[in-house]
């Protein structure tokens, strides 16, 4: 019998006392509350915290359970006292309940206070004392005690009534909170204020009597007012709170700096008010610490309007949006890393046509050729498309995935060359994260003795404490240190916006590598900036995707970017040059390439080490002129002594036309002297095949009505009046003059295109018709 009773007693207590759901809440790096989201049952019940502040503990035990540390769950003396008091009063004025018994009552959620219920509480309470330490029992009480309304637990109450964390409570505040759970429904700072004040002051005096507080403290505490009405929980980063909730980080001590967050909330709101004049209603900003990738500020959107009709609840830091030009630096860095270009080598900037795809520069102009760093700083689209063609669209696609983009759900063919021009989507979260990763990798390069840690590329972190990452050291990073450095250098050369809130004169002149992006149809404005210390990303637009004229990166997003950098401490200096990954070589000032024997001028420049693989200047050629220097000649038609050998800067025919317009000092190749034409070996360089590219696989686009489309082939000739004759697999298909463009519909399979000019000069190119695909709209800008 006694064994049975013992067993019953042992198993009487449920294994989990409380099953209640908790709020999601986030705190800043110093424990300040950033925001709280109500628990599933509509209660503000904060997750249990690790310690109970001393003042509250003293106040609570003095008020409720003086013998707490000495009893076994039931305080016989207190019960006896209570019985006596209740008999004297003729009604129940005291329960004689210990804190332990109250924990049981809270767990059992029984509202009746019958004798039987009381007995169960006492039995469970003694059992609870076996299982838990006194400290744990106090913690259970502090986190589940009711504080009126839907406020449960000390921490929620502390914020709700005093707008302060529990460990910063004053004696008067701690005493108020100690008396509240006793009858939360009756006494509430919103009602019955007088009764609450009396109860609090009585407790304060008892604390003084027990010598827990001194006379002066008592006096000051008695003078303190009780709170008027509950204050709303802070909402400094509502979208970060939602993110924490989604990731089940219920009690998140984030890395956010509350002061910075509040400042950025404020200036973002000012910017958004300006933008809203142009019906741009959403704005997001993200600040990351480069070294750790930790989030210092997270403005997912702004609650500018009460009615919430403008999508302000959508977290635009996490939303996948068209990237515009914001990925271009990744391509530039990729090509530099692999020695495919040098920082200033010329890239093509003349019309491109690939099926339906025919990118345009923002200003609709063409430069012919342009140095790669200028093309990046000016964010030219056509050079970017040519660069992606050269780098390999599929290779770039996989690179983007490797460095952290998860927003590319389709296979690489789907995006084609538009991948670099906003044909894909990205999130501010990941893109800012990648810029931070690049900066981190560059910062670490010399620290890691010229090695790379691939794990330096990681998404931003929202928690203050993050697990240590394992190092994945390799001699080759996703981008070489010199490539990242040169990319950031090129990104310094953008012209800063003038419409920041700060006066330009006040603005810091700290060097910031930055890039903007604007998506097709003016739907997204991006700006991302990076220094050795911080990476900042800004997005502006409408969550519903409505485009607005003037919604361009430099106007709508960049001003806020610079205002945010003004709030951040400046780095001591810009990124230090990774000289171990660079070489001092002679480059051609005209082409940016390593000099060939024909380059007339040379300049010493630091290039990424891998740049040694890049080709030498292909544009300076040795040509033979007659003494007048007006005609080209050769040894068969001119006496050797009358031939001048000179270096000449010769651009491809399609580039020359545009380059000449802006560069009056460009001299086209002099013509062959009439009597030399026959004997001159033909140079196929006079004909340039613009499309198809060498060995391309062409998908023929089917029109919407199902009719098979045609492929436009295109060529250029240095001599404008020249006619061209076109052959596919040695079958004559047509003649062109002026604009050399021809529409063809070759069969599926491999083909050889041959183009011949009037002089019999020939150029050949292999290509393949891979199949047909349905027409789709290609977005790019
Ligand atoms: Zn040269």
């Amino acid at each position: 019998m006694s064994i049975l009773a013992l067993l019953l007693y042992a198993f009487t207590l449920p294994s989990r006392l409380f099953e209640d759901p908790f709020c999601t809440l986030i705190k800043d790096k110093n424990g300040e509350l950033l925001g709280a989201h109500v628990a599933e049952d509509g209660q503000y019940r904060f997750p249990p915290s690790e310690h109970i502040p001393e003042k509250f503990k003293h106040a609570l035990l003095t008020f409720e359970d003086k013998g707490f540390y000495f009893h076994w769950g039931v305080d016989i003396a207190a019960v006896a006292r209570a019985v006596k008091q209740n008999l004297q009063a003729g009604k129940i004025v005291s329960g004689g309940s210990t804190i332990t018994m109250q924990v049981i009552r809270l767990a059992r959620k029984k509202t009746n206070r019958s004798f039987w219920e009381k007995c169960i509480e006492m039995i469970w309470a003694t059992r609870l004392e076996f299982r838990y330490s006194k400290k744990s029992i106090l913690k259970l009480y502090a986190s589940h005690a009711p504080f009126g309304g839907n406020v449960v637990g000390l921490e929620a109450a502390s914020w709700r009534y005093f707008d302060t964390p529990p460990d910063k409570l004053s004696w008067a505040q701690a005493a108020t909170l100690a008396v509240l759970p006793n009858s939360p429904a009756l006494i509430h700072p919103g009602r019955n204020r007088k009764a609450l004040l009396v109860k609090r002051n009585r407790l304060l005096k008892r604390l003084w009597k027990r010598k827990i507080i001194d006379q002066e403290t008592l006096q000051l505490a008695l003078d303190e007012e009780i709170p008027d009405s509950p204050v709303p929980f802070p909402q400094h980063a509502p979208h970060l709170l939602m993110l924490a909730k989604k990731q089940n980080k219920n009690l998140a001590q984030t890395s956010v700096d509350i002061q910075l967050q509040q400042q950025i909330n404020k200036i973002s709101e000012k910017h958004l008010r300006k933008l809203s004049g142009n019906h741009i209603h959403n704005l997001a900003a993200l600040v990351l610490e480069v070294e750790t990738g930790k989030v210092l500020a997270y403005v997912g959107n702004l609650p500018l309007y009460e009615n919430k009709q403008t999508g302000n609840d959508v977290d635009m830091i996490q939303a996948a949006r068209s990237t515009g030009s914001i990925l271009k630096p990744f391509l530039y860095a990729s090509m530099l890393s692999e020695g495919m270009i040098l920082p200033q080598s010329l890239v093509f900037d003349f019309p491109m046509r690939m099926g339906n795809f025919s990118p345009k520069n923002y200003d609709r102009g063409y430069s012919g050729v342009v140095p790669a760093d200028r093309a990046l700083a000016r964010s030219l689209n056509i050079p970017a498309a040519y660069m992606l063609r050269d780098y390999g669209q599929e290779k770039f696609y996989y690179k983007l995935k490797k460095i952290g983009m998860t927003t590319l759900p389709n296979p690489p063919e789907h995006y084609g060359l538009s991948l670099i021009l906003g044909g894909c989507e990205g999130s501010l979260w990941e893109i800012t994260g990648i810029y931070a990763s690049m900066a981190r990798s560059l910062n670490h390069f010399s620290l890691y003795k010229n090695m790379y840690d691939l794990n330096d590329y990681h998404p931003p972190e929202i928690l203050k404490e993050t697990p240590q990452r394992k190092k994945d050291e390799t001699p080759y990073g996703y981008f070489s240190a010199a490539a990242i450095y040169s990319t950031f250098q090129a990104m310094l050369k953008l012209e800063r916006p003038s419409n920041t809130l700060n006066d330009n004169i006040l603005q810091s002149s700290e060097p910031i590598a930055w890039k903007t992006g604007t998506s097709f149809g003016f739907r997204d404005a991006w700006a991302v900036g990076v220094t050795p210390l911080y990476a900042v990303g800004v997005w502006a637009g409408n969550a519903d995707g409505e485009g607005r004229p003037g919604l361009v990166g430099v106007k709508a997003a960049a001003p806020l970017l610079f205002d945010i950098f003004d709030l951040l401490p400046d780095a001591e200096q810009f990124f230090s040059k990774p000289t171990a990954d660079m070489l001092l070589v002679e480059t051609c000032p005209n082409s940016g390439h390593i000099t060939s024997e024909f380059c007339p001028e040379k300049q010493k420049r630091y290039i990424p080490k891998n740049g040694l693989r890049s080709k030498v200047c292909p544009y300076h050629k040795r040509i033979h002129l007659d003494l007048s220097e007006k005609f080209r000649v050769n040894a068969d038609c001119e006496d050797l002594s009358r031939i001048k050998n000179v270096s000449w800067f010769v651009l491809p025919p399609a580039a020359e036309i545009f380059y000449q317009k802006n560069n009056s000092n460009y001299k086209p190749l002099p013509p062959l002297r009439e009597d030399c034409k026959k004997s001159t070996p033909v140079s196929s360089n006079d004909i340039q095949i613009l499309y198809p590219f060498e060995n391309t696989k062409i998908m023929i686009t089917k029109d919407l009505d199902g009719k098979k489309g045609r492929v436009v082939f295109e060529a250029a000739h240095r001599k404008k009046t020249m006619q061209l004759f076109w052959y596919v697999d040695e079958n004559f298909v047509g003649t062109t003059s002026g604009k050399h463009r021809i529409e063809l519909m070759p069969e599926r399979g491999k083909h050889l295109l041959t183009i011949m000019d009037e002089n019999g000069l020939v150029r050949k190119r292999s290509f393949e018709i891979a199949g047909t695909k349905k027409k789709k709209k290609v977005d790019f800008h």
Side-chain angles (χ1 to χ4, degrees):
M1 186 61 197
S2 62
I3 291 173
L4 187 68
L6 205 64
L7 273 175
L8 262 176
Y9 178 68
F11 290 104
T12 183
L13 205 62
S15 61
R16 275 186 60 137
L17 275 179
F18 295 95
E19 301 280 353
D20 306 308
F22 292 115
C23 288
T24 302
L25 60 96
I26 50 169
K27 296 177 176 179
D28 97 326
K29 59 177 184 178
N30 296 319
E32 295 265 350
L33 189 63
L34 285 167
H37 192 267
V38 73
E40 281 159 43
D41 60 354
Q43 303 290 306
Y44 277 103
R45 185 184 304 102
F46 282 24
S49 56
E50 263 317 292
H51 84 224
I52 309 285
E54 283 298 305
K55 287 177 191 167
F56 177 76
K57 192 163 79 186
H58 282 300
L60 177 73
L61 295 184
T62 302
F63 183 69
E64 294 275 7
D65 190 355
K66 284 188 281 293
F68 181 68
Y69 286 107
F70 311 104
H71 61 63
W72 281 88
V74 179
D75 187 344
I76 304 295
V79 172
R81 221 169 27 241
V83 169
K84 198 176 144 197
Q85 280 173 9
N86 293 347
L87 283 175
Q88 279 169 354
K91 59 177 181 178
I92 293 176
V93 292
S94 165
S97 280
T98 60
I99 293 290
T100 322
M101 284 165 70
Q102 292 187 43
V103 168
I104 297 297
R105 190 162 76 226
L106 293 170
R108 285 175 59 79
K109 298 193 188 317
K110 293 273 159 54
T111 46
N112 74 38
R113 287 183 162 196
S114 67
F115 177 72
W116 179 236
E117 181 62 29
K118 202 97 190 168
C119 290
I120 295 177
E121 277 173 22
M122 288 189 194
I123 295 165
W124 282 33
T126 56
R127 181 67 191 84
L128 187 67
E129 293 273 345
F130 276 115
R131 192 190 290 172
Y132 291 113
S133 67
K134 290 285 182 190
K135 191 181 166 196
S136 303
I137 293 170
L138 262 186
K139 274 195 322 202
L140 281 176
Y141 176 83
S143 49
H144 290 94
F147 284 86
N150 60 350
V151 180
V152 180
L154 170 67
E155 191 166 3
S158 178
W159 283 107
R160 187 79 162 143
Y161 298 125
F162 301 108
D163 197 20
T164 189
D167 51 2
K168 291 206 176 128
L169 290 170
S170 68
W171 277 107
Q173 291 168 337
T176 311
L177 292 183
V179 304
L180 263 181
N182 192 252
S183 43
L186 284 177
I187 297 175
H188 186 279
R191 318 160 223 155
N192 250 331
R193 294 165 45 82
K194 210 162 179 186
L196 180 61
L197 185 69
V198 170
K199 239 177 164 175
R200 182 200 75 176
N201 289 351
R202 200 183 298 146
L203 173 57
L204 285 169
K205 281 174 197 155
R206 276 160 69 188
L207 285 166
W208 169 71
K209 268 187 202 146
R210 296 182 71 199
K211 299 207 164 72
I212 292 168
I213 57 174
D214 58 24
Q215 176 75 39
E216 195 189 342
T217 312
L218 171 68
Q219 210 47 58
L220 286 172
L222 290 174
D223 288 344
E224 258 182 64
E225 292 196 6
I226 56 168
D228 271 342
S229 55
V231 284
F233 285 107
Q235 283 292 5
H236 298 303
H239 300 89
L240 183 62
L241 179 64
M242 294 320 288
L243 182 70
K245 189 168 155 60
K246 232 187 334 224
Q247 298 182 354
N248 277 323
K249 289 174 179 147
N250 283 339
L251 175 65
Q253 177 139 21
T254 69
S255 49
V256 166
D257 176 326
I258 196 166
Q259 259 115 39
L260 185 69
Q261 175 76 25
Q262 284 173 311
Q263 284 173 317
I264 294 179
N265 278 340
K266 214 182 273 172
I267 53 166
S268 302
E269 199 184 306
K270 280 189 192 160
H271 278 277
L272 185 58
R273 280 198 191 284
K274 274 179 153 179
L275 291 172
S276 67
N278 183 21
H279 300 282
I280 297 164
H281 297 300
N282 303 110
L283 189 62
L286 178 66
V287 180
L288 304 177
E289 182 180 71
V290 162
E291 178 57 27
T292 59
K294 285 179 183 169
V295 173
L296 300 183
Y298 191 104
V299 182
N301 211 323
L302 289 167
L304 197 56
Y305 308 96
E306 295 283 299
N307 56 21
K308 291 215 170 179
Q309 292 297 304
T310 49
N312 301 85
D313 48 339
V314 184
D315 183 350
M316 297 313 298
I317 289 177
Q318 301 298 332
R321 305 287 299 205
S322 166
T323 50
S325 297
I326 206 76
L327 308 180
K328 282 177 185 165
F330 304 158
L331 176 61
Y332 182 75
S334 298
M335 294 185 82
L336 285 173
S337 292
E338 293 175 35
M340 297 175 80
I341 55 167
L342 296 186
Q344 281 152 6
S345 51
L346 295 177
V347 290
F348 291 156
D349 184 18
F350 47 76
M352 176 193 243
R353 181 189 300 271
M354 278 182 77
N356 294 337
F357 181 70
S358 169
K360 300 277 180 293
N361 289 328
Y362 185 65
D363 64 4
R364 305 266 142 184
Y366 306 97
S367 311
V369 287
V370 59
D373 63 342
R374 285 291 302 149
L376 180 64
R378 288 174 58 200
S379 200
L380 296 173
N381 289 330
I382 298 172
Y386 278 113
M387 284 165 78
L388 183 57
R389 180 200 71 184
D390 291 349
Y391 183 74
Q393 179 266 122
E394 199 170 315
K395 204 165 110 192
F396 187 60
Y397 167 90
Y398 288 111
K399 182 109 184 199
L400 290 176
K401 290 201 156 187
K402 263 191 209 146
I403 58 177
M405 274 183 78
T406 63
T407 51
L408 303 166
N410 300 303
E413 315 81 80
H414 171 90
Y415 303 100
L417 293 184
S418 78
L419 188 62
I420 196 65
L421 304 176
C424 67
E425 293 183 330
S427 68
L428 192 65
W429 179 252
E430 289 182 353
I431 288 168
T432 314
I434 294 170
Y435 280 99
S437 297
M438 290 169 78
R440 185 177 311 125
S441 178
L442 176 55
N443 282 344
H444 287 170
F445 179 65
S446 60
L447 193 72
Y448 295 165
K449 305 211 161 43
N450 310 337
M451 296 280 278
Y452 301 87
D453 175 6
L454 290 184
N455 287 338
D456 270 344
Y457 287 77
H458 61 74
E461 306 270 9
I462 64 172
L463 297 183
K464 185 188 179 188
E465 307 293 344
T466 48
Q468 198 82 45
R469 280 170 205 281
K470 255 174 84 185
K471 242 184 177 183
D472 183 2
E473 242 181 16
T474 73
Y476 309 102
Y478 292 128
F479 301 110
S480 77
I484 299 171
Y485 177 77
S486 306
T487 304
F488 289 169
Q489 283 285 331
M491 288 164 67
L492 285 175
K493 292 171 190 159
L494 276 76
E495 200 177 313
R496 291 194 185 189
S498 56
N499 52 338
T500 56
L501 294 176
N502 258 347
D503 201 308
N504 267 345
I505 305 158
L506 296 174
Q507 221 177 64
S508 135
S509 56
E510 185 192 16
I512 296 164
W514 65 292
K515 180 79 193 77
T516 59
T518 306
S519 71
F520 177 78
F522 304 104
R523 295 191 184 102
D524 305 86
W526 301 80
V528 178
V530 62
T531 70
L533 297 180
Y534 304 104
V536 177
V538 172
W539 176 94
N542 286 311
D544 64 5
E546 194 201 337
R548 295 298 305 170
L551 181 58
V552 294
V554 71
K555 282 189 202 156
L560 175 57
L561 179 84
F562 284 97
D563 281 336
I564 290 175
F565 269 111
D566 272 353
L567 294 173
L568 297 168
D570 287 4
E572 265 174 42
Q573 52 163 37
F574 196 58
F575 296 93
S576 45
K577 192 183 264 184
T579 42
D581 189 36
M582 297 184 105
L583 289 171
L584 194 59
V585 299
E586 284 182 336
T587 63
C588 169
N590 298 95
S591 72
H593 283 265
I594 295 171
T595 49
S596 77
E597 53 183 316
F598 305 125
C599 297
E601 294 165 67
K602 299 168 198 297
Q603 60 185 12
K604 290 221 162 193
R605 284 279 184 274
Y606 273 102
I607 62 160
K609 247 184 191 169
N610 279 344
L612 275 189
R613 297 187 204 158
S614 67
K615 56 182 174 188
V616 296
C617 177
Y619 303 113
H620 276 112
K621 299 204 161 81
R622 171 66 52 91
I623 60 166
H624 316 294
L625 297 179
D626 66 1
L627 290 180
S628 76
E629 292 194 13
K630 281 185 179 147
F631 295 101
R632 278 183 291 152
V633 293
N634 61 55
D636 291 336
C637 58
E638 183 62 290
D639 191 83
L640 270 181
S641 63
R642 295 170 60 82
I643 293 179
K644 280 181 144 179
N645 293 327
V646 293
S647 276
W648 207 272
F649 186 66
V650 190
L651 288 175
E656 197 174 64
I657 309 163
F658 299 103
Y659 189 77
Q660 233 173 322
K661 282 183 195 159
N662 305 312
N663 297 272
S664 50
N665 54 355
Y666 179 81
K667 285 183 277 177
L669 204 58
L672 272 176
R673 207 169 67 192
E674 208 52 45
D675 58 321
C676 298
K677 278 188 177 163
K678 278 198 189 109
S679 53
T680 304
V682 286
S683 150
S684 59
N685 280 333
D686 286 351
I687 302 178
Q688 188 185 4
I689 298 177
L690 298 173
Y691 193 78
F693 311 125
E694 187 61 44
N695 288 322
T696 38
K697 285 187 181 169
I698 299 169
M699 298 292 286
I700 294 190
T701 318
K702 257 189 187 167
D703 276 335
L704 295 174
D705 57 9
K707 253 176 39 195
K708 205 164 117 185
R710 289 162 174 271
V711 188
V712 180
F713 287 2
E714 205 168 355
H717 198 285
R718 198 175 299 283
K719 205 169 157 193
K720 282 176 191 138
T721 54
M722 194 67 81
Q723 273 196 68
L724 293 183
F725 308 98
W726 298 67
Y727 301 83
V728 172
D729 305 326
E730 311 204 332
N731 300 314
F732 177 72
V733 289
T735 310
T736 55
S737 52
K739 270 211 166 112
H740 301 290
R741 195 180 285 168
I742 193 163
E743 281 190 23
L744 298 172
M745 201 166 46
E747 291 298 309
R748 207 179 161 129
K750 289 188 175 170
H751 299 281
L752 181 69
L753 173 73
T754 308
I755 302 176
M756 195 193 294
D757 75 358
E758 292 165 51
N759 296 336
L761 179 65
V762 163
R763 194 116 210 219
K764 291 173 192 276
R765 178 148 299 174
S766 313
F767 66 94
E768 187 180 340
I769 300 293
T772 52
K773 64 174 178 183
K774 280 223 179 83
K775 191 171 184 168
K776 77 164 202 284
K777 206 170 157 282
V778 186
D779 276 10
F780 62 87
H781 176 74

